[in-house]
Amino acid sequence: MSKTWRPATQLVHGGTLRSQYGETSEAIYLTQGFVYDTSEAAEARFKGETDGFIYARYGSPTNDMFEKRMCALEGAEDARATASGMAAVTAAILCQLKSGDHIVAARALFGSCRWVVETLAPKYGIDFTLIDGRDLANWEKAITPKTKVFFLESPTNPTLEVIDIAGVAKLANQVGAKVVVDNVFATPLFQKPLELGAHIVVYSATKHIDGQGRCLGGVVLSDKEWIDENLHDYFRHTGPAMSPFNAWTLLKGIETLPLRVKQQTQNAAKIADFLAEQGKVAKVIYPGRKDHPQADIIAKQMTGGSTLVAFELKGGKEAAFALQNALDIVKISNNLGDSKSLITHPATTTHKNLTDEARAELGISPGTVRLSAGIEDTDDLIEDFARALSKVSA
Ligand SMILES: *Cc1c(COP(=O)(O)O)cnc(C)c1O
């Protein structure tokens, strides 16, 4: 494996471990355990004197390939693959905190991430402050002597706000806190949080990395020292490990990640431009457009737009439902990052548990709709939207 390979090459070849059979495609090692030639060999493995696997909850060959390939892409020293994105987020946060510590998090978080910060962490005596993460001054104000973790997602779900990752990392470094970035919406291709100064990156591999709607997965990436000191034991003993079958599915998915994300982004950008011209659409939020409220930060930290588009219909919930129901190619689903274009109405699905006030703070109105662009033909998608919009009463 070469460190100088560009992403498209890393994602096809990075981390490959070939067996004695020289298979072309990565092998799936569906095994729970491993055998040792001698008692002495087992003893040495357990002492860490020899390399090799011990038990699939700790690590296994197919998972190892997935972790190494993700490290190559992200520019991270080490990683752990988890059963889902939420297992990755929960592990990344809890493994480094103890009772009395404090988290500062941007309030615009994926619903379950917000639950981990607001509901789960306090049960173990971990305090938190939720802020509007767009303004760096809010991060600074929220710091207490107990602050150990800054947690954010950028762009955010569903309204695609962005947070200045380098700015947050600078503040965190001043107080010795660690920045955890949930980089799902940006994808590992368009944003490199570690290069921007973040300490830990997490993904739901369920999204673009699988990209074909098949399995759940997650990954936590960081430097070797942080993983050794924080995640290593937590991961071994609490058991959020990914199934080797899913690791294999994700390894195959990741080979085509750049091709899919390129087509998805192109579709998203064209649909965003089309929607912005429509009289029934009040506003379009797309990180690739010049009219994005934080276009300057996007230019600084992202190398591509997004596969997601948020937009607001003038006719509120009724218009949003009518549009979704009239779409033919685009399917109604709360998932994202898929080859298939998917659309959702956040106020009644992904963000239904928030109060009206909390939704308003996040910019989610009754007319807000989130599109995850797939890899279909661009013109077919635009025709689908044009036809569906014509059925929405003004
Ligand atoms: C989907 C998602 C998660 C959770 O991932 P799962 O694989 O569903 O557990 C976390 N953060 C973001 C931003 C997501 O989109």
Side-chain angles (χ1 to χ4, degrees), residues 176-232:
K178 297 289 184 190
V179 179
V180 180
V181 176
D182 178 339
N183 206 37
V184 167
F185 272 52
T187 81
L189 298 169
F190 290 159
Q191 183 167 269
K192 304 277 186 213
L194 298 177
E195 283 174 17
L196 294 164
H199 306 91
I200 299 120
V201 183
V202 292
Y203 288 98
S204 164
T206 314
K207 312 295 164 55
H208 304 83
I209 292 172
D210 174 40
Q212 290 152 85
R214 297 166 296 196
C215 66
L216 299 179
V219 60
V220 184
L221 302 116
S222 186
D223 58 76
K224 197 165 175 328
E225 187 186 336
W226 183 85
I227 298 229
D228 284 349
E229 285 177 11
N230 296 278
L231 187 58
H232 181 82

Tab-separated table of all heavy atoms in Angstrom, residues 176-232:
chain	number	residue	atom	x	y	z
A	176	GLY	N	-7.257	21.776	25.886
A	176	GLY	CA	-6.939	20.346	25.945
A	176	GLY	C	-8.139	19.437	25.723
A	176	GLY	O	-8.142	18.285	26.166
A	177	ALA	N	-9.174	19.946	25.035
A	177	ALA	CA	-10.339	19.094	24.737
A	177	ALA	C	-10.140	18.434	23.371
A	177	ALA	O	-9.328	18.890	22.565
A	177	ALA	CB	-11.610	19.935	24.743
A	178	LYS	N	-10.885	17.345	23.140
A	178	LYS	CA	-10.801	16.633	21.861
A	178	LYS	C	-12.021	16.956	21.010
A	178	LYS	O	-13.146	16.997	21.519
A	178	LYS	CB	-10.768	15.115	22.110
A	178	LYS	CG	-9.549	14.654	22.906
A	178	LYS	CD	-8.284	14.748	22.076
A	178	LYS	CE	-7.092	14.199	22.848
A	178	LYS	NZ	-5.828	14.495	22.164
A	179	VAL	N	-11.779	17.160	19.718
A	179	VAL	CA	-12.886	17.445	18.801
A	179	VAL	C	-13.272	16.163	18.063
A	179	VAL	O	-12.429	15.543	17.404
A	179	VAL	CB	-12.489	18.519	17.764
A	179	VAL	CG1	-13.648	18.781	16.795
A	179	VAL	CG2	-12.059	19.796	18.466
A	180	VAL	N	-14.529	15.786	18.212
A	180	VAL	CA	-15.070	14.615	17.511
A	180	VAL	C	-15.976	15.142	16.390
A	180	VAL	O	-16.907	15.899	16.657
A	180	VAL	CB	-15.909	13.728	18.456
A	180	VAL	CG1	-16.471	12.520	17.703
A	180	VAL	CG2	-15.091	13.289	19.665
A	181	VAL	N	-15.675	14.757	15.144
A	181	VAL	CA	-16.500	15.208	14.007
A	181	VAL	C	-17.229	14.020	13.397
A	181	VAL	O	-16.612	13.019	13.028
A	181	VAL	CB	-15.639	15.911	12.925
A	181	VAL	CG1	-16.486	16.275	11.709
A	181	VAL	CG2	-14.975	17.158	13.494
A	182	ASP	N	-18.542	14.152	13.302
A	182	ASP	CA	-19.372	13.185	12.576
A	182	ASP	C	-19.381	13.692	11.130
A	182	ASP	O	-20.011	14.702	10.819
A	182	ASP	CB	-20.772	13.192	13.205
A	182	ASP	CG	-21.746	12.252	12.506
A	182	ASP	OD1	-21.496	11.897	11.342
A	182	ASP	OD2	-22.769	11.899	13.130
A	183	ASN	N	-18.631	12.982	10.261
A	183	ASN	CA	-18.362	13.509	8.910
A	183	ASN	C	-19.238	12.879	7.829
A	183	ASN	O	-18.897	12.905	6.653
A	183	ASN	CB	-16.872	13.266	8.587
A	183	ASN	CG	-16.297	14.235	7.577
A	183	ASN	OD1	-16.638	15.423	7.579
A	183	ASN	ND2	-15.428	13.744	6.706
A	184	VAL	N	-20.366	12.317	8.240
A	184	VAL	CA	-21.212	11.574	7.302
A	184	VAL	C	-21.679	12.429	6.126
A	184	VAL	O	-21.588	12.020	4.973
A	184	VAL	CB	-22.438	10.984	8.034
A	184	VAL	CG1	-23.479	10.483	7.045
A	184	VAL	CG2	-22.007	9.846	8.937
A	185	PHE	N	-22.178	13.624	6.430
A	185	PHE	CA	-22.781	14.419	5.355
A	185	PHE	C	-21.745	14.918	4.350
A	185	PHE	O	-22.054	15.104	3.180
A	185	PHE	CB	-23.600	15.598	5.938
A	185	PHE	CG	-25.021	15.211	6.230
A	185	PHE	CD1	-25.312	14.094	6.997
A	185	PHE	CD2	-26.081	15.938	5.715
A	185	PHE	CE1	-26.626	13.704	7.252
A	185	PHE	CE2	-27.400	15.565	5.961
A	185	PHE	CZ	-27.673	14.454	6.733
A	186	ALA	N	-20.518	15.145	4.797
A	186	ALA	CA	-19.479	15.650	3.886
A	186	ALA	C	-18.887	14.518	3.053
A	186	ALA	O	-18.403	14.754	1.948
A	186	ALA	CB	-18.382	16.335	4.683
A	187	THR	N	-18.919	13.312	3.591
A	187	THR	CA	-18.219	12.129	3.058
A	187	THR	C	-16.700	12.311	3.218
A	187	THR	O	-16.206	13.447	3.237
A	187	THR	CB	-18.513	11.788	1.564
A	187	THR	OG1	-17.715	12.607	0.714
A	187	THR	CG2	-19.983	11.896	1.210
A	188	PRO	N	-15.963	11.183	3.290
A	188	PRO	CA	-14.501	11.319	3.454
A	188	PRO	C	-13.833	11.911	2.220
A	188	PRO	O	-12.643	12.226	2.253
A	188	PRO	CB	-14.034	9.874	3.688
A	188	PRO	CG	-15.167	8.988	3.333
A	188	PRO	CD	-16.426	9.796	3.359
A	189	LEU	N	-14.571	12.073	1.139
A	189	LEU	CA	-13.960	12.617	-0.076
A	189	LEU	C	-13.924	14.146	-0.059
A	189	LEU	O	-13.006	14.748	-0.600
A	189	LEU	CB	-14.732	12.138	-1.312
A	189	LEU	CG	-14.708	10.622	-1.492
A	189	LEU	CD1	-15.704	10.198	-2.552
A	189	LEU	CD2	-13.310	10.135	-1.845
A	190	PHE	N	-14.918	14.776	0.528
A	190	PHE	CA	-15.053	16.230	0.418
A	190	PHE	C	-14.571	16.993	1.650
A	190	PHE	O	-14.524	18.226	1.631
A	190	PHE	CB	-16.507	16.614	0.145
A	190	PHE	CG	-16.989	16.235	-1.229
A	190	PHE	CD1	-18.349	16.106	-1.483
A	190	PHE	CD2	-16.099	16.024	-2.268
A	190	PHE	CE1	-18.807	15.768	-2.751
A	190	PHE	CE2	-16.545	15.683	-3.542
A	190	PHE	CZ	-17.907	15.565	-3.782
A	191	GLN	N	-14.272	16.304	2.736
A	191	GLN	CA	-13.843	17.035	3.935
A	191	GLN	C	-12.954	16.128	4.771
A	191	GLN	O	-13.296	14.976	5.008
A	191	GLN	CB	-15.077	17.434	4.726
A	191	GLN	CG	-14.800	18.269	5.971
A	191	GLN	CD	-16.098	18.878	6.491
A	191	GLN	OE1	-16.454	19.976	6.106
A	191	GLN	NE2	-16.799	18.160	7.355
A	192	LYS	N	-11.810	16.655	5.194
A	192	LYS	CA	-10.829	15.883	5.975
A	192	LYS	C	-10.692	16.511	7.354
A	192	LYS	O	-9.783	17.323	7.586
A	192	LYS	CB	-9.462	15.922	5.267
A	192	LYS	CG	-9.469	15.422	3.827
A	192	LYS	CD	-9.376	13.918	3.776
A	192	LYS	CE	-9.234	13.413	2.365
A	192	LYS	NZ	-9.872	12.122	2.173
A	193	PRO	N	-11.558	16.147	8.290
A	193	PRO	CA	-11.530	16.788	9.607
A	193	PRO	C	-10.177	16.683	10.316
A	193	PRO	O	-9.780	17.623	11.009
A	193	PRO	CB	-12.617	16.044	10.387
A	193	PRO	CG	-13.551	15.551	9.333
A	193	PRO	CD	-12.681	15.216	8.159
A	194	LEU	N	-9.453	15.575	10.147
A	194	LEU	CA	-8.174	15.440	10.859
A	194	LEU	C	-7.177	16.483	10.350
A	194	LEU	O	-6.436	17.078	11.129
A	194	LEU	CB	-7.594	14.032	10.707
A	194	LEU	CG	-8.444	12.882	11.275
A	194	LEU	CD1	-7.782	11.538	11.000
A	194	LEU	CD2	-8.712	13.046	12.772
A	195	GLU	N	-7.191	16.723	9.035
A	195	GLU	CA	-6.294	17.748	8.475
A	195	GLU	C	-6.687	19.135	8.961
A	195	GLU	O	-5.858	20.041	9.050
A	195	GLU	CB	-6.348	17.737	6.942
A	195	GLU	CG	-5.562	16.601	6.331
A	195	GLU	CD	-5.744	16.501	4.816
A	195	GLU	OE1	-6.216	17.466	4.176
A	195	GLU	OE2	-5.414	15.419	4.283
A	196	LEU	N	-7.980	19.313	9.264
A	196	LEU	CA	-8.459	20.616	9.737
A	196	LEU	C	-8.202	20.796	11.236
A	196	LEU	O	-8.527	21.829	11.799
A	196	LEU	CB	-9.950	20.770	9.437
A	196	LEU	CG	-10.320	20.842	7.944
A	196	LEU	CD1	-11.813	20.605	7.742
A	196	LEU	CD2	-9.910	22.183	7.341
A	197	GLY	N	-7.678	19.756	11.889
A	197	GLY	CA	-7.320	19.890	13.306
A	197	GLY	C	-8.189	19.091	14.261
A	197	GLY	O	-7.921	19.051	15.455
A	198	ALA	N	-9.254	18.450	13.743
A	198	ALA	CA	-10.079	17.606	14.614
A	198	ALA	C	-9.252	16.402	15.063
A	198	ALA	O	-8.263	16.041	14.410
A	198	ALA	CB	-11.332	17.148	13.884
A	199	HIS	N	-9.658	15.795	16.184
A	199	HIS	CA	-8.873	14.682	16.733
A	199	HIS	C	-9.462	13.323	16.394
A	199	HIS	O	-8.739	12.336	16.293
A	199	HIS	CB	-8.763	14.838	18.256
A	199	HIS	CG	-8.229	16.170	18.661
A	199	HIS	ND1	-9.044	17.259	18.926
A	199	HIS	CD2	-6.954	16.616	18.780
A	199	HIS	CE1	-8.298	18.313	19.222
A	199	HIS	NE2	-7.031	17.951	19.146
A	200	ILE	N	-10.777	13.264	16.282
A	200	ILE	CA	-11.453	11.983	16.056
A	200	ILE	C	-12.528	12.198	14.985
A	200	ILE	O	-13.247	13.199	15.009
A	200	ILE	CB	-12.121	11.485	17.361
A	200	ILE	CG1	-11.044	11.271	18.445
A	200	ILE	CG2	-12.910	10.194	17.138
A	200	ILE	CD1	-11.223	12.096	19.667
A	201	VAL	N	-12.604	11.258	14.037
A	201	VAL	CA	-13.649	11.324	13.003
A	201	VAL	C	-14.501	10.071	13.112
A	201	VAL	O	-13.974	8.968	13.304
A	201	VAL	CB	-13.032	11.370	11.584
A	201	VAL	CG1	-14.127	11.521	10.533
A	201	VAL	CG2	-12.058	12.504	11.472
A	202	VAL	N	-15.816	10.249	13.005
A	202	VAL	CA	-16.706	9.078	13.011
A	202	VAL	C	-17.583	9.105	11.761
A	202	VAL	O	-17.926	10.169	11.255
A	202	VAL	CB	-17.611	9.026	14.272
A	202	VAL	CG1	-16.797	8.759	15.510
A	202	VAL	CG2	-18.434	10.284	14.442
A	203	TYR	N	-17.913	7.890	11.307
A	203	TYR	CA	-18.828	7.740	10.174
A	203	TYR	C	-19.901	6.722	10.494
A	203	TYR	O	-19.626	5.715	11.157
A	203	TYR	CB	-18.098	7.193	8.929
A	203	TYR	CG	-17.195	8.197	8.293
A	203	TYR	CD1	-15.832	8.181	8.569
A	203	TYR	CD2	-17.706	9.167	7.450
A	203	TYR	CE1	-14.997	9.125	8.011
A	203	TYR	CE2	-16.874	10.114	6.890
A	203	TYR	CZ	-15.528	10.095	7.166
A	203	TYR	OH	-14.705	11.033	6.625
A	204	SER	N	-21.063	6.971	9.925
A	204	SER	CA	-22.025	5.903	9.709
A	204	SER	C	-21.679	5.383	8.323
A	204	SER	O	-21.924	6.062	7.324
A	204	SER	CB	-23.449	6.468	9.737
A	204	SER	OG	-24.316	5.507	9.167
A	205	ALA	N	-21.089	4.179	8.254
A	205	ALA	CA	-20.737	3.589	6.956
A	205	ALA	C	-21.986	3.095	6.229
A	205	ALA	O	-21.939	2.757	5.044
A	205	ALA	CB	-19.745	2.440	7.160
A	206	THR	N	-23.082	3.072	6.976
A	206	THR	CA	-24.398	2.746	6.431
A	206	THR	C	-24.747	3.660	5.255
A	206	THR	O	-25.494	3.270	4.366
A	206	THR	CB	-25.451	2.986	7.548
A	206	THR	OG1	-24.981	2.396	8.753
A	206	THR	CG2	-26.802	2.435	7.186
A	207	LYS	N	-24.248	4.872	5.288
A	207	LYS	CA	-24.638	5.878	4.307
A	207	LYS	C	-23.797	5.727	3.028
A	207	LYS	O	-23.871	4.708	2.406
A	207	LYS	CB	-24.545	7.274	4.926
A	207	LYS	CG	-25.213	7.370	6.305
A	207	LYS	CD	-26.727	7.146	6.237
A	207	LYS	CE	-27.371	6.860	7.575
A	207	LYS	NZ	-27.133	7.845	8.612
A	208	HIS	N	-23.004	6.720	2.648
A	208	HIS	CA	-22.337	6.673	1.339
A	208	HIS	C	-21.360	5.503	1.191
A	208	HIS	O	-21.097	5.064	0.090
A	208	HIS	CB	-21.556	7.968	1.090
A	208	HIS	CG	-22.400	9.198	1.195
A	208	HIS	ND1	-22.694	9.802	2.407
A	208	HIS	CD2	-23.020	9.932	0.259
A	208	HIS	CE1	-23.442	10.852	2.200
A	208	HIS	NE2	-23.667	10.964	0.913
A	209	ILE	N	-20.777	5.043	2.300
A	209	ILE	CA	-19.721	4.029	2.192
A	209	ILE	C	-20.309	2.709	1.692
A	209	ILE	O	-19.794	2.113	0.752
A	209	ILE	CB	-18.952	3.916	3.522
A	209	ILE	CG1	-18.155	5.219	3.723
A	209	ILE	CG2	-18.035	2.695	3.534
A	209	ILE	CD1	-17.489	5.363	5.079
A	210	ASP	N	-21.406	2.262	2.286
A	210	ASP	CA	-22.137	1.155	1.644
A	210	ASP	C	-22.794	1.724	0.392
A	210	ASP	O	-22.554	1.251	-0.714
A	210	ASP	CB	-23.190	0.548	2.581
A	210	ASP	CG	-24.026	-0.487	1.833
A	210	ASP	OD1	-23.436	-1.233	1.032
A	210	ASP	OD2	-25.253	-0.529	2.019
A	211	GLY	N	-23.635	2.708	0.583
A	211	GLY	CA	-24.204	3.431	-0.557
A	211	GLY	C	-25.219	2.669	-1.372
A	211	GLY	O	-25.754	3.192	-2.338
A	212	GLN	N	-25.464	1.418	-0.994
A	212	GLN	CA	-26.397	0.641	-1.794
A	212	GLN	C	-27.455	-0.029	-0.923
A	212	GLN	O	-28.028	-1.066	-1.288
A	212	GLN	CB	-25.627	-0.355	-2.673
A	212	GLN	CG	-24.859	0.404	-3.762
A	212	GLN	CD	-23.615	-0.326	-4.216
A	212	GLN	OE1	-23.672	-1.186	-5.088
A	212	GLN	NE2	-22.496	-0.015	-3.586
A	213	GLY	N	-27.663	0.592	0.262
A	213	GLY	CA	-28.805	0.215	1.082
A	213	GLY	C	-28.786	-1.176	1.683
A	213	GLY	O	-29.838	-1.736	1.985
A	214	ARG	N	-27.593	-1.769	1.898
A	214	ARG	CA	-27.558	-3.174	2.296
A	214	ARG	C	-27.326	-3.414	3.774
A	214	ARG	O	-27.968	-4.264	4.379
A	214	ARG	CB	-26.454	-3.891	1.499
A	214	ARG	CG	-26.722	-3.881	0.022
A	214	ARG	CD	-25.516	-4.278	-0.770
A	214	ARG	NE	-24.419	-3.315	-0.603
A	214	ARG	CZ	-23.372	-3.248	-1.393
A	214	ARG	NH1	-23.242	-4.093	-2.388
A	214	ARG	NH2	-22.427	-2.360	-1.175
A	215	CYS	N	-26.355	-2.743	4.365
A	215	CYS	CA	-26.042	-3.096	5.747
A	215	CYS	C	-25.648	-1.872	6.569
A	215	CYS	O	-25.295	-0.829	6.028
A	215	CYS	CB	-24.930	-4.148	5.798
A	215	CYS	SG	-23.359	-3.549	5.217
A	216	LEU	N	-25.703	-2.049	7.882
A	216	LEU	CA	-25.285	-1.001	8.811
A	216	LEU	C	-23.791	-1.133	9.080
A	216	LEU	O	-23.239	-2.233	9.034
A	216	LEU	CB	-26.003	-1.150	10.149
A	216	LEU	CG	-27.525	-1.048	10.182
A	216	LEU	CD1	-28.009	-1.262	11.609
A	216	LEU	CD2	-28.012	0.287	9.664
A	217	GLY	N	-23.172	-0.027	9.409
A	217	GLY	CA	-21.766	-0.077	9.807
A	217	GLY	C	-21.334	1.296	10.264
A	217	GLY	O	-22.008	2.305	10.002
A	218	GLY	N	-20.203	1.325	10.978
A	218	GLY	CA	-19.658	2.598	11.417
A	218	GLY	C	-18.164	2.454	11.584
A	218	GLY	O	-17.615	1.348	11.523
A	219	VAL	N	-17.495	3.587	11.774
A	219	VAL	CA	-16.049	3.532	11.994
A	219	VAL	C	-15.618	4.765	12.784
A	219	VAL	O	-16.187	5.839	12.629
A	219	VAL	CB	-15.297	3.370	10.632
A	219	VAL	CG1	-15.566	4.513	9.684
A	219	VAL	CG2	-13.803	3.170	10.825
A	220	VAL	N	-14.651	4.546	13.685
A	220	VAL	CA	-14.034	5.624	14.461
A	220	VAL	C	-12.572	5.685	14.027
A	220	VAL	O	-11.893	4.655	14.031
A	220	VAL	CB	-14.053	5.333	15.982
A	220	VAL	CG1	-13.483	6.515	16.775
A	220	VAL	CG2	-15.439	4.958	16.470
A	221	LEU	N	-12.091	6.877	13.658
A	221	LEU	CA	-10.699	7.029	13.211
A	221	LEU	C	-9.999	8.104	14.024
A	221	LEU	O	-10.607	9.133	14.347
A	221	LEU	CB	-10.662	7.440	11.735
A	221	LEU	CG	-11.344	6.483	10.753
A	221	LEU	CD1	-12.522	7.166	10.088
A	221	LEU	CD2	-10.371	5.982	9.707
A	222	SER	N	-8.718	7.856	14.323
A	222	SER	CA	-7.953	8.865	15.062
A	222	SER	C	-6.465	8.527	14.984
A	222	SER	O	-6.062	7.670	14.196
A	222	SER	CB	-8.421	8.917	16.523
A	222	SER	OG	-7.782	9.974	17.210
A	223	ASP	N	-5.680	9.191	15.846
A	223	ASP	CA	-4.266	8.820	15.908
A	223	ASP	C	-4.120	7.594	16.805
A	223	ASP	O	-5.013	7.261	17.589
A	223	ASP	CB	-3.402	9.997	16.403
A	223	ASP	CG	-3.842	10.488	17.755
A	223	ASP	OD1	-3.533	9.814	18.766
A	223	ASP	OD2	-4.522	11.518	17.825
A	224	LYS	N	-2.985	6.921	16.658
A	224	LYS	CA	-2.782	5.646	17.339
A	224	LYS	C	-2.808	5.828	18.859
A	224	LYS	O	-3.372	5.002	19.579
A	224	LYS	CB	-1.442	5.066	16.889
A	224	LYS	CG	-1.345	3.605	17.201
A	224	LYS	CD	-0.234	2.914	16.480
A	224	LYS	CE	-0.114	1.470	16.929
A	224	LYS	NZ	-0.470	1.195	18.307
A	225	GLU	N	-2.232	6.909	19.315
A	225	GLU	CA	-2.154	7.132	20.762
A	225	GLU	C	-3.550	7.262	21.378
A	225	GLU	O	-3.851	6.655	22.406
A	225	GLU	CB	-1.326	8.398	21.031
A	225	GLU	CG	-1.052	8.617	22.498
A	225	GLU	CD	-0.352	9.956	22.753
A	225	GLU	OE1	0.317	10.487	21.840
A	225	GLU	OE2	-0.505	10.469	23.871
A	226	TRP	N	-4.423	8.031	20.719
A	226	TRP	CA	-5.776	8.215	21.265
A	226	TRP	C	-6.530	6.888	21.264
A	226	TRP	O	-7.196	6.532	22.238
A	226	TRP	CB	-6.554	9.282	20.467
A	226	TRP	CG	-7.911	9.513	21.063
A	226	TRP	CD1	-8.203	10.363	22.096
A	226	TRP	CD2	-9.139	8.852	20.728
A	226	TRP	NE1	-9.554	10.266	22.408
A	226	TRP	CE2	-10.142	9.345	21.588
A	226	TRP	CE3	-9.489	7.882	19.787
A	226	TRP	CZ2	-11.475	8.918	21.537
A	226	TRP	CZ3	-10.816	7.447	19.727
A	226	TRP	CH2	-11.791	7.968	20.595
A	227	ILE	N	-6.387	6.137	20.169
A	227	ILE	CA	-7.092	4.847	20.096
A	227	ILE	C	-6.557	3.902	21.170
A	227	ILE	O	-7.322	3.264	21.891
A	227	ILE	CB	-6.964	4.231	18.678
A	227	ILE	CG1	-7.631	5.184	17.691
A	227	ILE	CG2	-7.521	2.789	18.654
A	227	ILE	CD1	-8.596	4.652	16.706
A	228	ASP	N	-5.239	3.815	21.305
A	228	ASP	CA	-4.653	2.914	22.310
A	228	ASP	C	-5.109	3.282	23.717
A	228	ASP	O	-5.439	2.413	24.520
A	228	ASP	CB	-3.117	2.972	22.262
A	228	ASP	CG	-2.548	2.216	21.074
A	228	ASP	OD1	-3.318	1.488	20.414
A	228	ASP	OD2	-1.342	2.375	20.786
A	229	GLU	N	-5.124	4.575	23.999
A	229	GLU	CA	-5.407	4.993	25.383
A	229	GLU	C	-6.885	5.072	25.720
A	229	GLU	O	-7.258	5.007	26.891
A	229	GLU	CB	-4.749	6.351	25.650
A	229	GLU	CG	-3.254	6.188	25.823
A	229	GLU	CD	-2.539	7.520	26.026
A	229	GLU	OE1	-3.219	8.530	26.240
A	229	GLU	OE2	-1.303	7.505	25.953
A	230	ASN	N	-7.725	5.250	24.697
A	230	ASN	CA	-9.144	5.463	24.988
A	230	ASN	C	-10.050	4.382	24.420
A	230	ASN	O	-10.820	3.750	25.141
A	230	ASN	CB	-9.596	6.821	24.449
A	230	ASN	CG	-8.881	7.966	25.129
A	230	ASN	OD1	-9.263	8.377	26.214
A	230	ASN	ND2	-7.829	8.463	24.507
A	231	LEU	N	-9.958	4.182	23.102
A	231	LEU	CA	-10.940	3.301	22.458
A	231	LEU	C	-10.606	1.817	22.586
A	231	LEU	O	-11.508	0.969	22.651
A	231	LEU	CB	-11.058	3.698	20.975
A	231	LEU	CG	-12.153	3.006	20.170
A	231	LEU	CD1	-13.530	3.242	20.782
A	231	LEU	CD2	-12.139	3.497	18.710
A	232	HIS	N	-9.325	1.481	22.602
A	232	HIS	CA	-8.892	0.080	22.534
A	232	HIS	C	-9.613	-0.819	23.553
A	232	HIS	O	-10.285	-1.782	23.181
A	232	HIS	CB	-7.376	0.029	22.737
A	232	HIS	CG	-6.801	-1.344	22.675
A	232	HIS	ND1	-6.513	-1.963	21.481
A	232	HIS	CD2	-6.487	-2.228	23.656
A	232	HIS	CE1	-6.033	-3.169	21.729
A	232	HIS	NE2	-6.006	-3.366	23.035
